[in-house]
Each structure stands twice: as structure tokens, then as C-alpha cells.
Amino acid sequence: MERCSLIAPAKINLHLEIIGDRPDGFHELAMVMQSIDLVDRIDLHSISTDTIRVRCAHPDVPNDRTNLAYQAARLMAERFPETFANLGGVEIHIEKNIPIAAGLAGGSSNAAAVLVGLNLLWKLGLTQSELQELSASIGSDIPFCISGGTALATGRGETISPLPGMDGLHVVLGKFRNLAVSTPWAYKTFREHYSHTYITDEVEREERRQNVHAGPMVSAISHRDGRKIGELLYNDLEKVVLPEFPQVAKLREAMSRPGILGAMMSGSGPTVFALTETAEQAQQVRDGVKAAMADEDLDLWVAQFFSTGISTVEGV
Ligand code: C5P
């Protein structure tokens, strides 16, 4: 096999709770993650020189080693140097549809696709959990992006427990094109304001994780109760991002239209999403928000819950 094409879905957070600090400088989290069918396409081609090349037509996607997809290929080349030496390098082509620096894990999902794709291209035979373990060294969201669907993510975000699939719900996403929020900034600012609430005792931390695992959001997902999921949406990072970026707060308000199940910011933002029961409601919300905001810089998408992570494109 000399080429491989993959679908890399975006994610939203249905629950994002910051529990405390970790010795590695990251935050201890309890999150419920959900894949959506807003996807990038990743094409991998073997090339004879031992280089890794990234190509993307989107002007804001870097094609150097700062790109997580590049880092994923570099990681595989370092872990499997003989295979890399024998089979040569790889060209990674990214068809970008997921907005960048948006809180939707677009970069992480691209990296996840490169790991899954190189495992196939190089016939390494790694299992999904081996790939997930490997991937955590380059980004906390990548293990989730590999398996996708609906899942609980704890630790740095890299420890994944799958939850019953929640397909059927629809999502309207809104993001100002020229607005990006730095994830390190969001976590650092949260620490500055809220570290007094951080839990340090390991027994209490485990209790908090268990509270999420056995808590109302997971129960609502198990019962496929969209209304309850909408009511229970929770994201600690809203506490720092919304006051700093009033446009995001305004968009969240505009998205909170009658009839929706709930609205919230995803990850560290600035994307805001609204959940609806049907595709028609989602289109109506999108049209309503577009008219109410009347802002040329605002991009809106309609998507739905997606039950898988990285998948290969058949017939390639
Ligand atoms: O792992 P990832 O590269 O996505 O994280 C980006 C940044 O977000 C980290 O450098 C860190 O500042 C912050 N972060 C954190 N705790 C986590 C995940 C991310 O503080 N669990």
C-alpha cells in the first residue's frame, strides 16, 4: 500500500471540568467528549525520500514541524526507524474543513489520522489502544480523536472510557473567523483565578472523577435523553473565556434560541455550539443566528453527532 485516505472528525465537549493541577504542569480533567460529522480529509502518500511533508491549501495551517500532523509522523518515524528507513517518507495532504484554534480538536484529529494511517501504510499492526498510548505524548486530545464517538476523558484528557453512542442529535456551530483562543492561555488564566478551588487530595480527586462517570450527564447519554444532555452542558473554561471575549458571550446568547436543547462553548473556545433534536431545527437556529448577529466575520455550520473517530475512506 502506497497511499491511504482518512476521515478526521471534529469534537465538541459536553462536559469539561477542571479538577486540579498535575505534577506534569497540566490540569487534571473530567470531560465528556463527542465526535461530530464536521470532518477533515487526510491523504497520506509514501515518498521515496526520507522526509515528512505537510501540504494544505488553507493559508493558516502551518506546513512545518509546528503542525501536529507533522509531529505525529515524526513520532512514528522515531518509534519505527527501520520501517521509516525501508519504506521512505510520507506526504500528508490535509483538506481542511474544521476551523483552526477553535476548541474543536481539528489539529489533534489530523494527528490522530496520521497515526492511524501510518499504522496501515507501514503495516505495523498496532492496536487502537497502543496508538492511543503513543499519541498522548504529542497532545492530550489525540487519544480521544483516534477512537471518537462518545467518551469520558480523564487524567490530562488522554484516558478514554467509551460511552454508549449518542447519534441522532444535531449541532449548530458558530465561530468568528478572525478570533482564536490559545488553549495554554485559557488554562493558565483559569489557574490564576480558580486554583483555590483545585482539589489536591487524591481520594477526593477520584471521587470527582467517579461523580462524572456515574453522574447525570453520563446517565442522560445512556438514556439518550437529549433534553437532559442540553440542560447539563458544562464547561469550566467559559468562566475565563467569556469575560475576556465578549463577542463569544454574545454569540452564546444568540445561539440560546427557544427550542434548542442547550448551548455552550466547546473546549477552550471560541466556537460556540447549540444542540437540537432535528436537522430542521438546526437549520432554523443557524438562519436565526445569522440574521440576529448580521456579522460578516461569523461562520456557522450544521453538523450531527458522529459515532466513530478516525476511519479510512473506502475504495482508495
Ligand atoms: O495537550 P495539548 O497540547 O492539547 O494542550 C495544550 C495546552 O493546554 C497545554 O500546553 C496546557 O497549557 C493546557 N492543558 C492543560 N491541562 C490539560 C490539557 C491541556 O493545562 N489537561
Side-chain angles (χ1 to χ4, degrees):
M1 193 177 3
E2 290 193 343
R3 57 180 58 222
C4 178
S5 297
L6 305 112
I7 295 297
K11 64 87 186 152
I12 55 172
N13 297 86
L14 302 177
H15 182 93
L16 190 165
E17 183 178 338
I18 299 177
I19 295 177
D21 262 324
R22 292 164 55 92
D24 59 10
F26 281 71
H27 283 88
E28 186 70 22
L29 306 175
M31 302 189 285
V32 177
M33 320 272 264
Q34 174 63 55
S35 301
I36 55 172
D37 71 350
L38 174 61
V39 303
D40 289 341
R41 177 180 162 135
I42 308 294
D43 291 292
L44 303 179
H45 302 227
S46 292
I47 49 176
S48 47
T49 53
D50 62 351
T51 48
I52 297 165
R53 279 190 221 137
V54 177
R55 299 265 184 264
C56 181
H58 194 299
D60 299 333
V61 174
N63 59 9
D64 59 13
R65 49 193 63 222
T66 60
N67 190 312
L68 269 180
Y70 176 95
Q71 291 171 29
R74 168 79 15 230
L75 176 69
M76 291 295 259
E78 282 165 8
R79 290 296 169 101
F80 303 98
E82 277 182 28
T83 312
F84 186 60
N86 287 338
L87 297 182
V90 62
E91 182 166 302
I92 303 163
H93 182 264
I94 303 172
E95 186 189 298
K96 195 38 93 185
N97 302 305
I98 305 171
I100 298 152
L104 298 174
S108 298
S109 193
N110 294 173
V114 169
L115 295 173
V116 171
L118 286 181
N119 188 36
L120 295 171
L121 213 56
W122 293 353
K123 299 188 173 62
L124 296 170
L126 298 175
T127 63
Q128 188 176 75
S129 57
E130 284 169 335
L131 282 175
Q132 285 175 314
E133 208 181 311
L134 199 65
S135 73
S137 65
I138 52 169
S140 314
D141 281 344
I142 306 176
F144 168 75
C145 291
I146 291 175
S147 48
T150 313
L152 190 71
T154 53
R156 270 169 57 207
E158 88 292 13
T159 307
I160 307 300
S161 313
L163 294 171
M166 246 322 290
D167 47 359
L169 286 191
H170 296 260
V171 197
V172 186
L173 300 135
K175 180 186 173 286
F176 293 103
R177 210 168 305 126
N178 293 311
L179 188 65
V181 173
S182 147
T183 304
W185 170 86
Y187 279 102
K188 184 168 126 302
T189 310
F190 191 88
R191 184 183 282 122
E192 280 162 16
H193 289 86
Y194 295 98
S195 60
H196 62 281
T197 66
Y198 286 9
I199 296 174
T200 49
D201 180 68
E202 191 37 51
V203 176
E204 269 185 70
R205 280 180 180 227
E206 186 50 31
E207 261 172 34
R208 280 285 281 277
R209 280 182 218 117
Q210 286 308 320
N211 282 349
V212 178
H213 209 150
M217 176 58 89
V218 173
S219 163
I221 289 169
S222 309
H223 291 96
R224 309 174 74 79
D225 185 342
R227 200 143 289 282
K228 204 90 215 134
I229 292 171
E231 277 169 26
L232 292 168
L233 293 173
Y234 182 83
N235 183 351
D236 266 332
L237 291 174
E238 285 195 329
K239 294 177 192 162
V240 292
V241 177
L242 298 186
E244 183 70 22
F245 298 95
Q247 319 91 292
V248 182
K250 204 170 144 209
L251 175 60
R252 190 189 191 283
E253 219 178 284
M255 295 277 241
S256 303
R257 298 179 75 78
I260 66 157
L261 301 171
M264 192 175 72
M265 186 181 82
S266 181
S268 55
T271 302
V272 174
F273 67 86
L275 298 184
T276 67
E277 232 136 17
T278 68
E280 292 70 32
Q281 284 166 335
Q283 308 281 0
Q284 279 165 14
V285 171
R286 185 188 56 186
D287 296 347
V289 172
K290 194 171 177 197
M293 299 287 288
D295 189 329
E296 284 295 308
D297 195 38
L298 178 65
D299 283 329
L300 292 155
W301 299 262
V302 168
Q304 58 179 312
F305 282 22
F306 202 50
S307 60
T308 55
I310 305 302
S311 56
T312 50
V313 177
E314 299 300 327
V316 179

